[in-house]
Amino acid sequence: MAKNSSKGGRRTPPNPNPEYEFLGPPGAVAMLIVLPLITYGLYFNCRPGFGCIPAFWDPKDGFWPSISTDPTTIPSDLWNFFVANWDSDAFDIYSVFMMFLFVCYFVIPGRVVEGTVVGGVGGSPLTKDRSNYKLKYKINALKTLVLITVLVIATLYTRGVEPFLFLHDHFVGLITASLVWTFGVSIFVYIWSFLPDNNGQEKILAHGGNTGNKIYDFVLGRELNPRFSASPDSTFDIKYFIELRPGLIGWILLNFGMACKQYHDIGYITNSMVAVLVFETFYVVDSLWNEAAVLTTMDITTDGFGFMLANGLLTWLPFNYSVQARFLAAFPLEMSLPHCAAVIATQCIGYYIFRGANGQKNNFRRYGASAPQNKGLKYIETESGSKLLISGWWGTARHINYFGDWLMALAWSLPCGFGSPLPYFYPIYFAVLLIHRELRDEEKCRKKYGKDWDRYCEIVRWRIIPYIY
């Protein structure tokens, strides 16, 4: 029987001419090792009793304890390093947190919305023609956060800050626990992508994760939208569930734990810690309030779900992005009035650009060019039928929302002062990420729109920052 006709068989062969990203398979192998070590490195090079490089750094301690520079011992050193940082209590707490979020997704009511038209390759006969094939998603992440907030307030009222010191004192153990979940989820979805769905049909695969190279596909993500059920009424999507809940909610819980540690140690919370908590919590709440907007991002529409996304959402986001709060817990700082004003101004300008640009784009896509809220907006129409905005926010730069997003990232680090570069890890990394994302999007749009994209770029000249880049 032909492979393409066997029920549940792999009807879609690997791409014979894959376009590798991130330096291809060698880069994928490097990510498996380097990304976790960066998260550990941020902890071990900025912690109480050690300091925060370079101002407080003692070179004799090394960047990563117990990891040598001898290539022959690195595998055993990595394993010993992992064992040394294993914390059963932290793993239990992290696992309870994940299961709580899972239960909340199903128990807490929420409206069901459709995503964008599904892309990818392969799929069952029912989804081969995906001109109007859309998946359904449940919107209740903000309600989950509200429930967690109520539980936190109740705990704070009855037991004080003591229970939340666990987040500070077991931080490195929580990193290890998140990595166990990261690798566990990644291995599961990779194997799951080869199994037929509950209708006996193949899964829809991501373009970039169907290369045939096992390591590369494992890291980039083979299946586009891993789900337990192929029912058209199913709403639970593993990638979508992990996209917002564990990382974003975990991030502000860790921040709160750092604030509790600062209060426990010095008897009050500094204005710099308040600024970090308020700005970053506002960002998370705003993201969850606009939960449906994530359905139009490349993470959901284009990228497969593999180690790279799982690590980014379960480990990288909460534990690396909380570095500012952790820094201020160890090294409290009071901002002057001008310092406060500069931080607030940077945050407000960034949010104004970010939300204004995204809101304008979403309104244009959702309601169409003739809608009252889009009155006066200019656009060009492509041969594919798509419309590209050339006025308003999107007339200033092709990715002006990235600039606003980056300004907010900078505002979260400025309260830490300039004694160490580590609190600025996020805006530095985020700048690299946004430029890479912009280059990916440019390539994708150039292929999709052809000469219309060239015409669009002649009108909207700047990529991210008007008159600069």
Side-chain angles (χ1 to χ4, degrees):
M1 185 178 290
K3 183 166 76 172
N4 281 356
S5 62
S6 61
K7 185 175 182 180
R10 283 185 60 195
R11 299 172 178 81
T12 304
N15 185 349
N17 299 300
E19 296 181 1
Y20 288 121
E21 297 183 273
F22 308 104
L23 303 180
V29 172
M31 279 193 274
L32 291 171
I33 300 171
V34 173
L35 294 182
L37 284 181
I38 289 175
T39 301
Y40 279 121
L42 282 175
Y43 171 77
F44 282 110
N45 291 284
C46 190
R47 67 189 194 274
F50 174 87
C52 200
I53 62 171
F56 313 100
W57 184 44
D58 187 346
K60 66 182 177 60
D61 289 321
F63 287 97
W64 291 281
S66 78
I67 298 181
S68 72
T69 57
D70 182 356
T72 62
T73 66
I74 285 180
S76 61
D77 287 345
L78 287 172
W79 175 251
N80 292 333
F81 176 77
F82 172 81
V83 171
N85 291 295
W86 173 257
D87 182 336
S88 296
D89 291 338
F91 180 77
D92 290 345
I93 291 295
Y94 189 89
S95 298
V96 168
F97 171 65
M98 290 293 294
M99 295 309 298
F100 177 81
L101 294 177
F102 182 78
V103 171
C104 285
Y105 182 88
F106 290 99
V107 172
I108 296 176
R111 63 190 177 94
V112 174
V113 302
E114 286 188 336
T116 60
V117 175
V118 175
V121 295
S124 71
L126 296 176
T127 63
K128 288 289 186 181
D129 178 11
R130 288 196 288 277
S131 59
N132 197 36
Y133 180 69
K134 300 178 181 179
L135 297 173
K136 294 180 180 179
Y137 302 86
K138 188 177 182 181
I139 307 294
N140 67 353
L142 184 60
K143 293 179 181 178
T144 301
L145 177 61
V146 170
L147 175 59
I148 291 174
T149 302
V150 170
L151 295 175
V152 167
I153 292 172
T155 304
L156 196 62
Y157 179 77
T158 56
R159 300 185 59 190
V161 301
E162 293 293 332
F164 301 102
L165 300 182
F166 183 96
L167 299 174
H168 176 274
D169 299 341
H170 293 257
F171 192 87
V172 69
L174 290 168
I175 292 175
T176 304
S178 74
L179 286 169
V180 171
W181 271 84
T182 290
F183 278 95
V185 169
S186 302
I187 292 169
F188 172 80
V189 295
Y190 180 73
I191 296 173
W192 186 255
S193 71
F194 289 98
L195 303 178
D197 63 27
N198 56 324
N199 291 325
Q201 304 295 338
E202 73 167 341
K203 310 289 180 57
I204 297 176
L205 309 179
H207 284 283
N210 185 39
T211 67
N213 184 286
K214 293 179 175 59
I215 294 294
Y216 184 84
D217 292 349
F218 172 79
V219 172
L220 270 289
R222 188 169 181 272
E223 188 174 353
L224 185 62
N225 301 103
R227 293 180 166 223
F228 293 125
S229 173
S231 168
D233 295 322
S234 172
T235 65
F236 185 76
D237 184 300
I238 299 174
K239 178 170 68 171
Y240 169 71
F241 170 76
I242 291 179
E243 179 75 23
L244 292 177
R245 288 160 176 79
L248 290 178
I249 295 176
W251 175 19
I252 60 173
L253 285 175
L254 288 172
N255 280 355
F256 183 72
M258 302 308 118
C260 289
K261 174 63 175 175
Q262 188 185 78
Y263 181 84
H264 177 268
D265 289 350
I266 66 177
Y268 67 97
I269 299 177
T270 61
N271 60 3
S272 56
M273 179 68 85
V274 170
V276 168
L277 261 63
V278 169
F279 293 158
E280 295 184 355
T281 300
F282 179 78
Y283 181 87
V284 170
V285 171
D286 182 71
S287 297
L288 301 187
W289 179 274
N290 296 282
E291 182 178 359
V294 77
L295 300 177
T296 64
T297 63
M298 289 183 67
D299 281 2
I300 299 295
T301 63
T302 305
D303 296 335
F305 185 60
F307 172 82
M308 187 171 69
L309 264 182
N311 179 77
L313 298 168
L314 295 175
T315 301
W316 188 276
L317 191 163
F319 294 98
N320 291 359
Y321 292 10
S322 58
V323 66
Q324 297 95 344
R326 195 164 54 80
F327 174 87
L328 293 171
F331 312 106
L333 183 149
E334 282 287 343
M335 295 188 294
S336 66
L337 187 59
H339 191 171
C340 284
V343 169
I344 293 172
T346 304
Q347 167 69 21
C348 291
I349 293 171
Y351 180 77
Y352 178 69
I353 296 172
F354 176 75
R355 185 49 60 202
N358 281 339
Q360 190 175 78
K361 176 185 70 175
N362 290 336
N363 283 338
F364 190 78
R365 286 180 174 177
R366 183 174 182 181
Y367 301 110
S370 60
Q373 54 266 59
N374 298 320
K375 184 179 180 181
L377 289 179
K378 298 178 181 179
Y379 60 90
I380 63 172
E381 189 157 359
T382 67
E383 291 182 358
S384 66
S386 300
K387 297 179 176 65
L388 301 175
L389 281 170
I390 58 172
S391 67
W393 284 111
W394 299 93
T396 60
R398 302 197 288 273
H399 299 276
I400 188 65
N401 56 330
Y402 290 179
F403 180 46
D405 211 357
W406 184 82
L407 283 177
M408 287 190 287
L410 179 63
W412 304 339
S413 296
L414 288 174
C416 298
F418 300 98
S420 171
L422 285 194
Y424 290 86
F425 168 81
Y426 176 51
I428 294 170
Y429 152 77
F430 199 41
V432 175
L433 175 69
L434 291 177
I435 290 173
H436 176 260
R437 186 178 294 173
E438 179 267 331
L439 292 174
R440 287 181 70 197
D441 196 51
E442 288 279 319
E443 181 180 1
K444 173 186 169 185
C445 291
R446 195 171 300 280
K447 290 179 179 178
K448 180 178 180 180
Y449 300 120
K451 62 183 180 181
D452 289 323
W453 185 254
D454 295 331
R455 180 163 59 101
Y456 168 71
C457 291
E458 289 177 1
I459 300 172
V460 184
R461 295 176 51 206
W462 306 104
R463 294 172 177 261
I464 298 176
I465 307 177
Y467 304 102
I468 297 178
Y469 175 72

